[in-house]
Amino acid sequence: MVLSMPSLLCLPFMAPIFSSFLALTLIIPLSNAQGPPSPGFSPSSRVSTVAFNTGFRNLWGPQHQKLDQGSLTIWLDKSSGSGFKSLRPYQSGYFGAAMKLQPGYTAGVITSFYLSNNEEHPGDHDEIDIEFLGTTPDKPYTLQTNVYIRGSGDGNINIGREMKFHLWFDPTKDHHNYAILWNPSEIIFFVDDVPIRRYPRKSDATFPTRPMWVYGSIWDASSWATENGRYKADYNYQPFVGRYTNFKVSACTANSPAPCRPPSASPYGSSSLSPQQALAMNWVKNNYLVYDYCHDPKRDHTQIPEC
């Protein structure tokens, strides 16, 4: 069982009191917390593993990247971080990797797996993010999901669509599977095949439609990553290490013919989640959601009409 302030929102008479609080509240899981109910379907089981050298290449920091029997290790120290990129762009698909994070003091450090076309469209790019925000030893990692559309994260404009979660397990103990399913009608984020967020296409203006590449990286984001920059990267704890394995890509490339269809998120072969998947996703939101941009009273909601 998990106790959380957001779970009180399930009570209708409490909703007005806590609606604005949801954006900033912290979740406090009990030590005997259980995992989410089974989603009843595993999209990852329908996707074959891709060898790193078959689907990806080093992008930067080659001296901070090591490949060993299919497992990739990248690290950040005072001299550099590291990143990788897919060999080709995609217009939709399922993209996943098993990741293991570093324990201890990791404040200011971002370990990520994401889609982007920032090199193709500098200043006007799209992006779909899975980012782990580093932390201090007394607090859990935060998994941040985000969507940028046509430059909303570039320059002086920053219209992020962040939803942040804590996890029902320790992501430093073992590899866990994290994935993005992006198709023409929606984006779904998965953790160990449990859907944690669904971002539907409500209009062309609020949905990324241009081809993107797959990226991963570890880098210093001390200015904002941990409690809005309160805690910085401390290189007394270097190197900061991110481990990736079990890369999975099943996608339509940018040059795929029109009939190309990305994998389905559900057992129905459609874009809609099954009732069992929706139940699992709602359990995660009720118990482990720690920030939702749509419920942040400080945001300009004219810029995020999908809310």
Side-chain angles (χ1 to χ4, degrees):
M1 180 180 180
V2 176
L3 298 179
S4 66
M5 294 303 292
S7 65
L8 294 176
L9 293 176
C10 296
L11 302 176
F13 64 91
M14 298 295 285
I17 300 174
F18 293 105
S19 60
S20 62
F21 182 73
L22 174 61
L24 303 174
T25 189
L26 293 177
I27 308 300
I28 307 174
L30 297 180
S31 59
N32 62 346
Q34 300 298 310
S38 170
F41 181 69
S42 299
S44 67
S45 67
R46 309 292 181 91
V47 180
S48 299
T49 299
V50 176
F52 179 81
N53 287 333
T54 301
F56 302 89
R57 64 172 178 85
N58 173 263
L59 180 63
W60 60 284
Q63 72 279 17
H64 288 68
Q65 190 169 122
K66 179 182 178 183
L67 186 63
D68 183 18
Q69 296 183 346
S71 294
L72 179 73
T73 301
I74 59 177
W75 61 93
L76 165 72
D77 61 25
K78 200 167 185 178
S79 66
S80 178
S82 188
F84 60 89
K85 179 184 179 181
S86 63
L87 297 179
R88 56 190 64 85
Y90 301 95
Q91 58 186 351
S92 61
Y94 177 97
F95 312 92
M99 298 171 61
K100 183 180 179 182
L101 307 179
Q102 176 156 318
Y105 188 99
T106 56
V109 178
I110 297 288
T111 310
S112 66
F113 184 76
Y114 63 103
L115 308 178
S116 180
N117 51 30
N118 64 310
E119 294 176 281
E120 185 76 10
H121 303 286
D124 183 41
H125 85 286
D126 309 291
E127 192 166 309
I128 304 172
D129 293 331
I130 291 176
E131 298 174 306
F132 287 96
L133 311 184
T135 189
T136 54
D138 58 327
K139 296 177 182 177
Y141 268 96
T142 297
L143 187 161
Q144 175 171 278
T145 63
N146 201 357
V147 180
Y148 287 118
I149 298 99
R150 291 190 174 271
S152 63
D154 292 305
N156 295 322
I157 304 173
N158 191 355
I159 308 172
R161 292 166 169 84
E162 303 93 342
M163 288 181 69
K164 302 178 185 180
F165 302 83
H166 289 164
L167 296 168
W168 51 96
F169 54 84
D170 183 346
T172 72
K173 297 293 186 183
D174 203 353
H175 286 84
H176 288 267
N177 295 304
Y178 306 94
I180 297 164
L181 193 148
W182 168 45
N183 64 40
S185 62
E186 65 187 354
I187 299 163
I188 301 176
F189 298 85
F190 292 91
V191 175
D192 288 339
D193 282 319
V194 176
I196 63 169
R197 178 184 182 183
R198 177 176 178 267
Y199 181 86
R201 180 175 183 169
K202 294 185 177 180
S203 73
D204 290 348
T206 61
F207 196 84
T209 58
R210 297 177 296 180
M212 290 189 272
W213 283 256
V214 189
Y215 293 84
S217 63
I218 188 166
W219 56 290
D220 186 334
S222 289
S223 63
W224 63 271
T226 306
E227 298 187 29
N228 294 318
R230 178 183 177 187
Y231 297 99
K232 314 292 186 184
D234 184 344
Y235 288 98
N236 289 315
Y237 298 96
Q238 69 177 22
F240 302 103
V241 179
R243 294 178 172 86
Y244 298 73
T245 191
N246 199 28
F247 294 94
K248 295 202 169 192
V249 176
S250 180
C252 300
T253 63
N255 299 317
S256 293
C260 179
R261 296 183 61 185
S264 172
S266 80
Y268 301 143
S270 65
S271 60
S272 299
L273 295 173
S274 71
Q276 194 169 346
Q277 288 175 303
L279 181 67
M281 182 173 67
N282 288 336
W283 182 94
V284 173
K285 288 183 176 180
N286 288 337
N287 291 287
Y288 287 95
L289 177 67
V290 296
Y291 176 84
D292 184 342
Y293 76 107
C294 282
H295 293 90
D296 187 344
K298 297 180 180 179
R299 297 294 297 270
D300 180 355
H301 284 251
T302 64
Q303 296 179 331
I304 45 176
E306 71 277 4
C307 290

